Amino acid sequence: MNFESTQLTKENYLDLYQAILKPRLIENKMLVLLRQGKISKWFSGIGQEAIAVGVTKALQNDEYILPMHRNLGVFTTREIPLYRLFSQWQGKANGFTKGRDRSFHFGTQEFKIVGMISHLGPQLGVADGIALAHKLRKENKVTAVFTGEGGTSEGDFHEALNIASVWQLPVLFCVENNGYGLSTPVSEQFNCEHIADKGIGYGMEAHIIDGNNIVEVFEKVSALAEDVRKNPRPILLEFKTFRRRGHEEASGTKYVPEDLMQYWKEKDPVTNFEAFLEEKQILSPKEKAKFSKNIIEEIKENLQLAFDEAPIEAQLDRELKDVYQVFDEEVVQPNSETKELRFVDAISEGLRQSMQKHNNLVIMGQDVAEYGGVFKITEGFVEEFGKERLRNTPICESAVISAAMGLSINQTKSVVELQFGDFVTSGFNPIVNYLAKVHYRWNQNADVVLRMPCGAGVGAGPFHSQTNEAWFTKTPGLKVVYPAFPSDAKGLLASAINDPNPVLFFEHKALYRSIREEVPTDYYTLPIGKAKLLKSGTQISIITYGAGVHWALEFAEQHPEISADVLDLRSLCPLDEEAIFESVRKTGKVVLLQEDTLFGGIMSDISALICENCFEHLDAPIKRVGSLPTPVPFAAALEKQFLAKNQLEKAIMNLMAY
Ligand SMILES: Cc1ncc(C[n+]2csc(CCOP(=O)(O)OP(=O)(O)O)c2C)c(N)n1
């Protein structure tokens, strides 16, 4: 291994030496504590330290870095006080997640570190978003993101590199090729010689770096980072290294051939570098002893602090409160001038006015720029806001939603248009695992609105007709808004965009061009979480949302003999429980109507809530009405039969007769 350098001074060398020694000594101590049962899981990075340390040293302290589970060296090189790391690993309050997440699963804006989620891949797209925000603000900053070679098999890797290349984002994609992903050797993980070879497929510069040589890592990454700051572009870096311990400590390394292990042991990044420094008399025996003693002291003192810290206490209020970011909601009353708009136009107008209001708001989606989106909601936006803020994306929902997360981390709001709400499945992972959980985990908000054109009744078949809100209402951390009228859609969209939390905004396609209404012309907001009583009656409550609202109103019009409350929920999460209970207490009979298939829909939960809170006010069993338990069929007769509307009249009449 060649550690010679024409650039590095003695101080530089010793600085690198101390930086690489620290994670090694911490890990040595952790392995002892693990054996003593004083810490739980441990993912060892022994033998890979040069990469984390070298890359972090090459970046400026205000540049974001997104490490993985073996990158202790990132955290130590950013000089996080060790007691905070130790507390984090023990689930204590001085850590970074209030005891809510373990090990390296946290981020910290203070140190510009954004830790992984277990699913590995999403953070590659998050790095894209962070870098995009820098690029939009014309800041010359690099973002570095890590993954193992196993993680490169995930679709997220492909999507994130593709987006970064198409958008020329200043991201260093750092792949630590350490030979194994859990027990899977590289030969069973991918079928090309080097991961760096994939760069060409993305139109991306790529380099192979000896991941066990801290001088090579530091110098090459420093030079590339400097160049990327001047000339923003993504670069793929493959660091060749080896995982010398088990995937996590308990799992061992039985599957690794002895000679391979021996080969890499001899290439140890710490001892080889140390030997070089000693041989060149850069590191004296006295200094060596001093450095090691200082670090060991620091570890000891900080460990004591962490052990002395009381275990975290469960406080119900605090846990519930931290799922969403609390914020001062801006209330803008509607002006008196109105104009008749279709549902689709009201959404477009609301979006346009929010773009005018927030100059840090970016819209991303397939064909949203010149083409105006498939429903033409962003038509004409490019002319007004430019292509930087109206971003056509490749077809990669997962990385785009992850990028929206990254934008939020780096102070930029975004609206992501799903071309059809059905395609959210391809971006499901970052929504339910990243955006939904990030505030609870480490106090980082996800200021993202996902626009979801949804619903049936348009003859579009199983993959362009679903209304899949229930997949999200059951996930804490998300808000779900579902308007039924143009004026509600406009005001609620403005509020969703103001809200710093992740909001799924459902827009029923069948309403786009069929529902019109007088809509206030200026920008205004409507509070999320408030239902609206559209019609007041005394005999029965019809509680619904989305297209169901129009079915209920149609029914009520056709049956003036029935005195019905029609309640439009407008928002499913938060849910206006009080408005529901009030209506049920008044009428004593309730039909819960949803377009979604019946089982497991939001109305099942609303039914349970009514049972728990209004049982003594009920004069009849609660009746849920939902669509058939089949995929949404294409042919008109089949779709008509499928939809909940088909069962509504009978259900109400039965209940009236009960
Ligand atoms: C989506 C997903 N699938 C599987 C796992 C389980 N898992 C965690 S780490 C890991 C191996 C990762 O290998 P690699 O990316 O090479 O990183 P390394 O552990 O070698 O550093 C696996 C299979 C996971 N966390 N997430």
Side-chain angles (χ1 to χ4, degrees):
M1 286 164 95
N2 181 8
F3 297 102
E4 294 285 356
S5 160
T6 50
Q7 319 268 327
L8 297 182
T9 62
K10 180 179 176 205
E11 284 70 37
N12 297 148
Y13 269 122
L14 292 182
D15 183 48
L16 285 179
Y17 173 68
Q18 290 174 85
I20 199 171
L21 188 61
K22 196 166 185 176
R24 174 64 59 92
L25 293 180
I26 292 173
E27 276 221 42
N28 286 344
K29 183 69 186 172
M30 289 306 131
L31 297 183
V32 173
L33 293 179
L34 193 72
R35 281 194 290 276
Q36 295 170 349
K38 291 190 180 153
I39 55 168
S40 59
K41 266 186 180 242
W42 187 255
F43 295 90
S44 174
I46 283 182
Q48 302 180 213
E49 297 97 332
I51 306 163
V53 173
V55 170
T56 311
K57 280 276 179 202
L59 259 57
Q60 293 161 358
N61 276 344
D62 62 351
E63 289 177 325
Y64 283 95
I65 188 156
L66 294 83
M68 293 292 288
H69 47 295
R70 297 189 202 288
N71 297 135
L72 171 59
V74 169
F75 299 84
T76 53
T77 308
R78 280 274 156 103
E79 295 182 359
I80 292 185
L82 296 186
Y83 75 92
R84 297 204 61 193
L85 281 181
F86 299 151
S87 284
Q88 166 65 22
W89 301 337
Q90 291 175 25
K92 291 184 172 170
N94 280 336
F96 293 86
T97 62
K98 301 185 186 168
R100 292 167 187 166
D101 205 343
R102 66 183 199 191
S103 64
F104 295 105
H105 293 185
F106 68 92
T108 145
Q109 287 283 5
E110 191 185 346
F111 297 94
K112 292 281 177 283
I113 291 176
V114 178
M116 64 188 290
I117 67 164
S118 288
H119 296 68
L120 314 169
Q123 67 177 10
L124 295 153
V126 173
D128 283 354
I130 292 173
L132 174 60
H134 284 313
K135 196 173 172 186
L136 291 173
R137 293 197 297 264
K138 302 199 169 22
E139 295 165 350
N140 300 323
K141 299 258 170 263
V142 174
T143 299
V145 59
F146 284 84
T147 179
E149 87 289 343
T152 67
S153 300
E154 288 189 58
D156 285 286
F157 174 79
H158 165 76
E159 292 191 4
L161 267 70
N162 189 46
I163 290 178
S165 187
V166 172
W167 292 352
Q168 288 295 286
L169 301 175
V171 182
L172 301 178
F173 291 99
C174 303
V175 181
E176 287 185 84
N177 183 349
N178 65 4
Y180 285 83
L182 216 153
S183 74
T184 305
V186 289
S187 58
E188 293 179 31
Q189 194 70 251
F190 53 87
N191 189 20
C192 58
E193 197 180 348
H194 305 292
I195 285 170
D197 295 343
K198 299 187 187 213
I200 195 161
Y202 300 110
M204 191 185 292
E205 183 181 333
H207 300 268
I208 294 176
I209 295 176
D210 179 352
N212 283 32
N213 182 333
I214 188 151
V215 174
E216 183 176 332
V217 174
F218 174 67
E219 293 203 316
K220 286 197 174 158
V221 178
S222 297
L224 290 170
E226 197 44 43
D227 202 44
V228 168
R229 285 181 201 113
K230 289 193 214 110
N231 173 20
R233 65 190 189 281
I235 297 183
L236 175 59
L237 299 172
E238 179 180 359
F239 297 94
K240 302 281 191 190
T241 186
F242 199 71
R243 201 196 70 210
R244 301 241 308 271
R245 304 195 63 89
H247 168 66
E248 42 86 29
E249 274 306 305
S251 64
T253 54
K254 254 205 236 135
Y255 45 82
V256 181
E258 193 54 45
D259 52 343
L260 193 58
M261 194 62 101
Q262 190 53 35
Y263 171 82
W264 283 98
K265 192 171 174 210
E266 282 160 23
K267 275 176 71 76
D268 186 283
V270 179
T271 53
N272 278 293
F273 187 43
E274 194 174 80
F276 164 82
L277 296 175
E278 285 176 317
E279 190 195 312
K280 297 281 169 188
Q281 298 183 347
I282 298 172
L283 177 69
S284 68
K286 212 167 128 199
E287 269 172 325
K288 181 177 159 186
K290 185 182 84 187
F291 290 154
S292 149
K293 182 166 165 279
N294 286 350
I295 296 171
I296 288 169
E297 288 277 300
E298 186 187 347
I299 295 171
K300 206 171 143 201
E301 280 166 24
N302 281 271
L303 260 180
Q304 201 51 52
L305 283 175
F307 280 130
D308 288 347
E309 192 185 343
I312 210 144
E313 271 176 42
Q315 275 181 27
L316 186 58
D317 284 357
R318 189 178 59 192
E319 294 310 290
L320 297 176
K321 190 175 99 357
D322 280 357
V323 176
Y324 296 94
Q325 180 168 318
V326 178
F327 69 109
D328 278 335
E329 207 170 327
E330 188 190 355
V331 181
V332 181
Q333 297 295 346
N335 61 321
S336 53
E337 189 189 333
T338 62
K339 133 178 119 209
E340 191 182 87
L341 291 182
R342 298 176 302 175
F343 194 74
V344 71
D345 305 320
I347 292 170
S348 179
E349 189 171 281
L351 196 54
R352 182 190 293 273
Q353 290 173 352
S354 282
M355 284 291 275
Q356 290 160 350
K357 179 182 160 73
H358 304 283
N359 53 22
N360 70 337
L361 174 62
V362 172
I363 297 175
M364 300 190 287
Q366 289 147 32
D367 312 288
V368 295
E370 294 86 347
Y371 190 71
V374 291
F375 297 106
K376 301 295 167 199
I377 283 180
T378 52
E379 193 159 46
F381 279 35
V382 173
E383 289 74 12
E384 186 173 350
F385 305 108
K387 279 205 73 169
E388 292 285 37
R389 294 180 64 200
L390 250 289
R391 307 193 72 88
N392 280 339
T393 69
I395 306 170
C396 19
E397 285 77 6
S398 187
V400 170
I401 293 166
S402 302
M405 180 69 240
L407 284 171
S408 182
I409 288 172
N410 203 357
Q411 300 151 51
T412 305
K413 283 177 166 296
S414 63
V415 170
V416 177
E417 175 175 300
L418 277 303
Q419 196 153 69
F420 285 82
D422 307 67
F423 303 145
V424 76
T425 40
S426 297
F428 195 67
N429 185 30
I431 299 174
V432 300
N433 285 316
Y434 212 131
L435 277 63
K437 301 182 187 359
V438 70
H439 192 266
Y440 178 72
R441 290 173 56 240
W442 57 277
N443 203 33
Q444 169 63 52
N445 69 310
D447 194 348
V448 180
V449 174
L450 301 164
R451 289 192 35 245
M452 303 275 289
C454 66
V458 289
F463 306 115
H464 291 77
S465 304
Q466 295 167 88
T467 180
N468 46 29
E469 64 280 6
W471 296 346
F472 304 101
T473 48
K474 87 142 275 110
T475 303
L478 302 174
K479 295 193 178 182
V480 178
V481 177
Y482 205 141
F485 290 97
S487 57
D488 283 349
K490 182 177 166 183
L492 287 168
L493 181 59
S495 297
I497 291 169
N498 287 343
D499 195 314
N501 295 289
V503 182
L504 286 108
F505 192 84
F506 284 80
E507 306 168 4
H508 202 292
K509 304 188 295 287
L511 308 185
Y512 270 161
R513 291 175 167 79
S514 66
I515 301 296
R516 297 167 176 271
E517 195 184 36
E518 287 292 319
V519 177
T521 52
D522 291 350
Y523 176 91
Y524 63 92
T525 61
L526 287 173
I528 293 176
K530 292 264 171 281
K532 190 173 182 185
L533 191 63
L534 299 175
K535 195 183 155 315
S536 184
T538 54
Q539 295 174 299
I540 191 166
S541 302
I542 309 174
I543 298 177
T544 185
Y545 57 97
V549 171
H550 299 282
W551 302 339
L553 289 173
E554 191 184 311
F555 172 86
E557 204 176 287
Q558 288 165 1
H559 294 275
E561 75 282 6
I562 296 177
S563 174
D565 253 11
V566 176
L567 185 69
D568 175 4
L569 294 174
R570 300 198 291 187
S571 154
L572 305 180
C573 184
L575 185 66
D576 192 346
E577 294 181 11
E578 214 24 67
I580 295 170
F581 300 156
E582 202 178 306
S583 175
V584 174
R585 283 189 207 114
K586 182 174 63 170
T587 64
K589 288 185 177 178
V590 58
V591 167
L592 302 174
L593 171 64
Q594 69 184 24
E595 178 178 332
D596 192 6
T597 51
L598 188 66
F599 192 85
I602 181 91
M603 287 307 177
S604 299
D605 270 286
I606 293 179
S607 167
L609 282 169
I610 293 171
C611 276
E612 286 159 11
N613 292 278
C614 307
F615 187 70
E616 60 277 22
H617 297 272
L618 288 171
D619 295 328
I622 299 164
K623 178 65 184 166
R624 290 171 305 147
V625 179
S627 294
L628 298 182
T630 69
V632 188
F634 162 60
L638 300 183
E639 190 181 35
K640 187 164 177 248
Q641 173 180 264
F642 163 84
L643 280 173
K645 183 182 182 192
N646 199 40
Q647 305 163 41
L648 181 63
E649 176 154 7
K650 194 169 155 210
I652 296 178
M653 291 313 190
N654 283 345
L655 203 56
M656 289 301 294
Y658 183 85

